[in-house]
Amino acid sequence: MGGKVENSDDNGNAKGGTEEKKDKYGDAMKYDPSFNGPIKNRGCTDIICCCLFIICFLGMFVVGYFAYIHGDPIRLIYPSDSEGNLCGTGSQAGKPNLFFFDLLDCAKVGLAAINGCPTTQVCVKKCPSKYWTYLTLYATETASGTDQAKRQSDIYPFCTYAIQNSGQSTKTMKQLVQDGDCPSYYVKADPLVGRCIPSIFSTLINKTATLLAENNTALVDKYGNAVSGTGLESGTKYLTYILNAQEYGEKILADVRASWWLILIGLAMSCVLAFIWIVIMRWIAGIMVWFTIFAFIALFAFSTYYTFTKYVALKDNTDTSFSDLSITTNLDYYTNLKETWLAIGIISATILGITLLIILFLRQRILIAVAIIKEASRGVSKMMFTLLWPLIPFVLQLILLCYWGATALFLASSNIKEYAEANATNLNTSIMNATVAQETNLLVKVTGCDPNANDTLGTICNFVKYGKEEYTIYLQFYMLFMLFWVMNFIIALGQMTLAGAFASYYWAFTKPDDIPAFPVSASLWRCFRYHLGSLAFGSLIIAIIQIIRVILEYVDNKLKGSENEIAKFFLKCLKCLFWCLEKFMKFLNKNAYILIAVYGKNFCVSAKDAFFLIMRNIVRVAVIDKVADFVLLISKLVIVAAVGVLAFYFFSNEIPVVAEVTADYVPSLNFYLVPVIIITIGCYVIAAGFFSVYGMGVDTLFLCFLEDLEKHDGSAEKPYYMNKDLKGILGKKNKVEKKDDD
């Protein structure tokens, strides 16, 4: 087969004869009589990259040790008081809730109120259970003298720690409030994520009205400003954003606990179905592939018919209109909109039409893809351990993510205390509109103030949150880069290991006699013994591209409020460029790993050879390889759809006959879609793991198939290694046919 392999006809017959010609994509692969699969006599490749990877990998553990020494994730869980003490632990054990002296001050920092706000905060045993204002007790004590017992029951539990611990004070109530020792008021509150948040909003009829204590005394802050529901709502709105999230989270967790055994059964069924699907493809790959394609067509044909039928049925319904669309969690609302079914119908019809066109024009290429998939099926049947291999990279990736996540938590908590001072010229201001306050920027400025300073600023300087040390940002960036590098390294290791195994299968002239023993283990040994540097080199390129994309996303986020349209345009172009570059490099790397597994050359040479081989056969690569990927994708989707639909009807009791059988097994759930979604996602992960073996097998066999065409001509001296199906499709044959165990 000559260098002009791209000039082949539809049946694969080369027009350029068997002459080996030089073209712009290099020489065609030359025949080597001693070659019979992955070579044994090879040396270490890309040693510098291997050393660099080992050093950087060890650096991850150094950073992890540093983070473990200086960090404490408890800081991210427990709230902090004005002195930086953690509520519910250490010196504040037994006081799990954070109490804010004046929630109106929380409106001054907006979203930062989640971590704290510039008002005195103390840890308390229980949140307030009533309305209270110091004016009532102050008036009573002015007339009758200090009432320490009343103070101990009403106010001392919410004062500073000196007063909490002593349980008494000689100051008047007005002095305690003005000196910042005690709050001027409090309202009924409930603990939310360890913080006392007012629980009064749902019972207020008029939020703008001044709140009253139990004796109808108006609530005021220490400056005499009236406290209303609107003001408190402004001060707590960012904290209450997570109230609904917490409620939904608790319900979802309860559903998972109630249905966990059914979820495990669903995931086990996914494994069984995926394995059965692959086993069936061993013998009738062609039938299964075409069945998959027609099942996909039938699914979207039915979807198109059903959705347009629903649209026609709702077309004349005037009860609901798209113009009256509102956001709701009630799915029945959307299913009663004719526009919903119209949109789904258009999408289904579009996918159906594109699929039909692909099958119509590429049916001959699909036959070649079927033959390659069938060959991959035979390869898996001879090397069953390849189906278990994805578990090893998965476990390694899981360990990496756990370590990276733990290190990130410790780094995020290896921080210092940050303080904020309220702008003194605006302290005595009634805060009723947090939005206006933030826009005018009059209320809060974060500074490096000293809370122990003997000046005016020291008296109004409060702890806000734990802030990050400057160097932790660089360590987090380093850990993120190493996450990308090591993750891509693990992926590359899995790809090269499978490539070596499937290449051993393809280049065995007489199957299964010539297939080496333990091909997967042998391929893994070659990766670790000789090619860690090449794996590190290829994964480094991908990691650099990915970290650049992260930086571009960060810059894009910073420019969202910018008016510089030119900068935004170039940024979008760069994002698109690096997205395309990442896709291209992943494709090139995978093919480079295949040639490294076979010939043992370094990364650059293998990448060049793989690129030239692909370019010499660009038509086949663009059509056959992608058709095979498309077929495997359909197989995954069919499995996921089957399991997802079964799970949906099981948990929703939509079918009366099924509901009668499953009534005793389906638990009472808040959201029946929770186990359905978990099972569907888990099924996709499982199917992706099984079919990733097939995907790599198809890619490897296809590249070996292209080399086979270039190296051999079917003569007795240079016979083809491809199976009979491929030779039949291409119209080729060996003068002396080899015996395959088909």
Side-chain angles (χ1 to χ4, degrees), residues 116-159:
C117 57
T119 186
T120 303
Q121 305 152 56
V122 294
C123 300
V124 297
K125 294 181 179 180
K126 295 182 179 179
C127 294
S129 58
K130 64 179 181 179
Y131 298 86
W132 182 89
T133 177
Y134 84 97
L135 293 178
T136 303
L137 187 55
Y138 176 63
T140 302
E141 291 185 345
T142 300
S144 306
T146 303
D147 187 349
Q148 292 291 346
K150 187 67 173 176
R151 289 186 178 188
Q152 290 174 358
S153 63
D154 287 354
I155 186 60
Y156 282 170
F158 306 104
C159 294

Side-chain angles (χ1 to χ4, degrees), residues 188 394 407:
K188 183 179 179 181
F394 176 77
T407 304

Side-chain angles (χ1 to χ4, degrees), residues 27 560 573 604 606:
D27 290 324
K560 280 186 177 179
C573 292
C604 291
S606 299

Side-chain angles (χ1 to χ4, degrees), residues 11 109 121 220 336 435 492 518 530 542 604 685 710 725:
N11 294 323
V109 293
Q121 305 152 56
V220 296
N336 290 325
T435 303
F518 309 109
Y530 300 107
I542 304 297
C604 291
V685 173
E710 292 193 351
D725 292 339

Side-chain angles (χ1 to χ4, degrees), residues 477 480 484 545-555:
F477 182 83
L480 179 62
F484 291 151
I545 296 174
Q546 289 175 336
I547 202 68
I548 292 175
R549 292 187 63 197
V550 170
I551 295 173
L552 291 176
E553 290 292 342
Y554 174 79
V555 174

Side-chain angles (χ1 to χ4, degrees), residues 77 157 214 298 313 447 510 578 600:
I77 302 174
E214 292 179 342
T447 67
T510 302
F578 280 96

